[in-house]
Amino acid sequence: MLEKYNARTPKSETLWKKAVTLFPGGVSHNIRDFGMPGCNSYPPYISHGQGAHIWDVDGNEYIDWWMTHYSLLLGHNDPRVKEAIIDQIEAGHHFGTPTESEVKYGEKLKEAVPVLEKMRFTSTGGESTMYAVRLARSFAKRKLVGKSLGGWHGGNDALTYHMSHPYSDDPFYNGVSFDYNNRESFDQMLKKHGKNLAAVIIEPVIGAGGGIPPEKDMLVYMREETESRDILLIFDEIITGFRLRYGTAGDGLFGAKPDLLTLGKAAAGGMPLGVYGGREDVMALAIPGAQGGRWVGGGTFSSHPLSMVAGLAVLKRLRELKDKYQWLNRMGDSFRQRLNEMLQEMRAPLIGTGYGSINFISHLTSVLSEPPKTPGQLGALFDHKKQDLFQGQLMQEGIFGYHGLGALSFVHTEEDIEKTLEGISNAVKNMSQI
Ligand SMILES: Cc1ncc(COP(=O)(O)O)c(C=O)c1O
């Protein structure tokens, strides 16, 4: 099936054969096999990137939609970010102490995201959501947390459950879920568990769970319903923060203010970062020794200077590009519209979902004329096996993505869009021969 891809990637094949002897599933992050083993193949090993393109160790070029787990709004190897990192390396790359860059970066984040009355930095998004939930539990003096079906908030024990259909895995502890955009499902969760819920955590636009934006006023509704029950609302903006606008999406685009929020990915342009923060009274429980507080905060690499200076350089550039977000989001929206028109014409059982620069494609078990509105609906129709085969076809077409595609950046071009649509069309035609 992937004859062309396999023939041109011998070095990747050799590396993969070694990797499977070292790492469970061959990888250090589950989805970095990019579904290729499902095509009896292996992922390409990437050696370098520039702008919106990456190259594998065999010299093959890809249009990158993956963009480092959707982190790179400025593209690979942005000169400003690179210079900031090199300057810091010259000075010493980590001291395990407070640094000036940490304070400066905190100030810039607070300017852009007023919800962050107080914040803390970690090295990963998963740590940040873990600490946000821990703080919420301490503050509310309740144990239960609610999340959406399909919601991915990192690999911590608090939130790693109900990620893929049929959502039947048991939470490690004290977790319940609901179907985002489905008010009945949300109401039922509140009715059953409201008194015990410390927090509800939600991505304003569901990422890994299907690229699903909120229905009108869904987040406002969730805000009102949680507030009236003293349940903390946490927005996980690790994908959406600084991606859809200069700042956060929950308040800035969808009109709802959370108690706590988390950031990562785009906020430091590909360097390891997590941020959690929000209401001063809740964050006060993070002060060591605070009455009623729990131990939150730690991490040898928290507020790593390389991430702080990269973050500062990224925010400076994104501030300059503030007015271009509209252009970027329009490019994503019009791409998705053309994509779905093309898939409809081809009567293909695939659907493009997303919002602005976030664009996913899901292979379904039947042809749909409209994108599913909730992660539960999408999950029930999702064809895991065919999705892997489709991913493999895209890779063969020189399009690098996951969850079907990924996210655009300020350096993607109309040519990248045209080539992607052509590649998808070829991939769909090849799929029909399987
Ligand atoms: C919405 C969301 N939250 C949290 C995380 C976890 O972040 P990290 O991979 O940095 O731990 C991710 C990562 O994909 C994410 O998409």
Side-chain angles (χ1 to χ4, degrees):
M1 228 194 87
L2 294 185
E3 262 171 38
K4 280 188 279 176
Y5 170 84
N6 292 342
R8 68 183 184 225
T9 52
K11 286 189 187 164
S12 284
E13 184 176 16
T14 304
L15 288 167
W16 176 250
K17 283 185 175 154
K18 288 185 187 168
V20 290
T21 69
L22 299 168
F23 316 121
V27 285
S28 295
H29 186 308
N30 284 352
I31 60 178
R32 287 202 191 144
D33 66 12
F34 298 102
M36 300 300 275
C39 311
N40 293 324
S41 187
Y42 43 82
Y45 282 72
I46 301 304
S47 63
H48 59 288
Q50 187 62 47
H53 293 211
I54 50 179
W55 285 261
D56 68 22
V57 286
D58 291 290
N60 301 297
E61 181 174 352
Y62 302 81
I63 299 172
D64 192 11
W65 282 78
W66 180 230
M67 296 306 272
T68 319
H69 298 244
Y70 322 136
S71 300
L72 301 183
L73 270 169
L74 302 177
H76 293 278
N77 223 358
D78 178 78
R80 306 156 196 90
V81 180
K82 183 158 118 184
E83 194 185 321
I85 291 172
I86 290 173
D87 284 352
Q88 183 63 52
I89 287 175
E90 299 281 355
H93 60 269
H94 188 30
F95 315 107
T97 66
T99 59
E100 187 177 0
S101 55
E102 172 185 15
V103 176
K104 285 187 173 162
Y105 185 51
E107 282 177 334
K108 290 295 169 205
L109 278 179
K110 192 167 171 169
E111 263 169 44
V113 183
V115 172
L116 292 176
E117 290 170 12
K118 283 276 165 62
M119 75 196 89
R120 280 268 180 93
F121 296 131
T122 63
S123 314
T124 67
E127 281 172 280
S128 286
T129 55
M130 173 182 76
Y131 284 140
V133 165
R134 195 178 298 170
L135 277 171
R137 284 180 165 143
S138 304
F139 187 83
K141 298 192 177 58
R142 299 172 182 170
K143 288 208 170 130
L144 208 55
V145 61
K147 69 178 273 279
S148 173
L149 301 178
W152 169 246
H153 304 286
N156 64 64
D157 284 1
L159 297 164
T160 307
Y161 62 94
H162 297 187
M163 275 118 40
S164 43
H165 193 262
Y167 312 112
S168 53
D169 52 316
D170 284 333
F172 288 109
Y173 54 80
N174 295 322
V176 288
S177 54
F178 67 101
D179 195 17
Y180 189 39
N181 282 336
N182 177 341
R183 288 194 188 202
E184 217 174 281
S185 164
F186 183 65
D187 290 345
Q188 268 171 17
M189 180 184 75
L190 291 185
K191 195 166 166 210
K192 196 159 171 205
H193 301 291
K195 286 201 171 67
N196 298 318
L197 272 170
V200 171
I201 184 166
I202 191 74
E203 302 161 76
V205 177
I206 300 278
I212 298 186
E215 292 282 277
K216 190 169 162 18
D217 292 336
M218 183 66 203
L219 288 176
V220 174
Y221 180 69
M222 287 174 65
R223 172 66 289 181
E224 288 167 0
E225 295 298 310
T226 47
E227 193 163 21
S228 68
R229 291 171 174 80
D230 294 324
I231 299 165
L232 293 175
L233 183 62
I234 307 171
F235 285 170
D236 179 350
E237 299 243 14
I238 286 169
I239 291 182
T240 47
F242 293 96
R243 165 152 293 287
L244 298 174
R245 62 185 285 271
Y246 186 76
T248 40
D251 54 347
L253 293 178
F254 305 121
K257 189 176 165 205
D259 300 295
L260 295 175
L261 62 78
T262 55
L263 292 166
K265 299 197 194 270
M271 292 300 281
L273 176 77
V275 183
Y276 61 101
R279 268 171 57 181
E280 176 135 26
D281 55 347
V282 182
M283 292 303 291
L285 292 181
I287 297 170
Q291 212 179 3
R294 282 278 172 135
W295 182 265
V296 295
T300 300
F301 302 111
S302 293
S303 68
H304 197 293
L306 294 182
S307 301
M308 299 293 102
V309 297
L312 273 168
V314 167
L315 292 196
K316 181 165 187 282
R317 182 64 185 143
L318 292 180
R319 264 195 317 279
E320 289 162 8
L321 294 172
K322 228 175 183 177
D323 297 335
K324 263 194 105 182
Y325 273 97
Q326 233 185 349
W327 167 85
L328 177 60
N329 286 327
R330 258 205 311 265
M331 177 156 78
D333 289 341
S334 86
F335 165 78
R336 208 164 43 258
Q337 189 178 342
R338 287 179 63 194
L339 168 72
N340 278 333
E341 281 166 11
M342 182 177 90
L343 293 171
Q344 282 289 309
E345 260 171 47
M346 298 176 91
R347 301 292 303 150
L350 294 112
I351 199 95
T353 54
Y355 186 89
S357 61
I358 301 167
N359 275 282
F360 296 161
I361 306 178
S362 297
H363 201 301
L364 307 176
T365 47
S366 54
V367 178
L368 280 193
S369 54
E370 277 201 6
K373 298 266 189 302
T374 81
Q377 279 171 11
L378 179 65
L381 292 168
F382 194 75
D383 190 328
H384 286 270
K385 178 130 193 58
K386 292 265 178 69
Q387 182 80 10
D388 282 357
L389 299 179
F390 176 66
Q391 279 296 159
Q393 290 294 330
L394 285 187
M395 210 60 103
Q396 181 156 266
E397 292 294 323
I399 299 162
F400 201 117
Y402 196 66
H403 303 303
L405 277 178
L408 290 165
S409 72
F410 283 109
V411 294
H412 280 86
T413 62
E414 282 305 325
E415 195 187 337
D416 293 323
I417 296 280
E418 295 307 323
K419 283 194 173 155
T420 300
L421 285 168
E422 194 186 317
I424 293 168
S425 164
N426 293 339
V428 170
K429 281 181 203 145
N430 290 342
M431 285 295 290
S432 63
Q433 288 163 21
I434 292 167

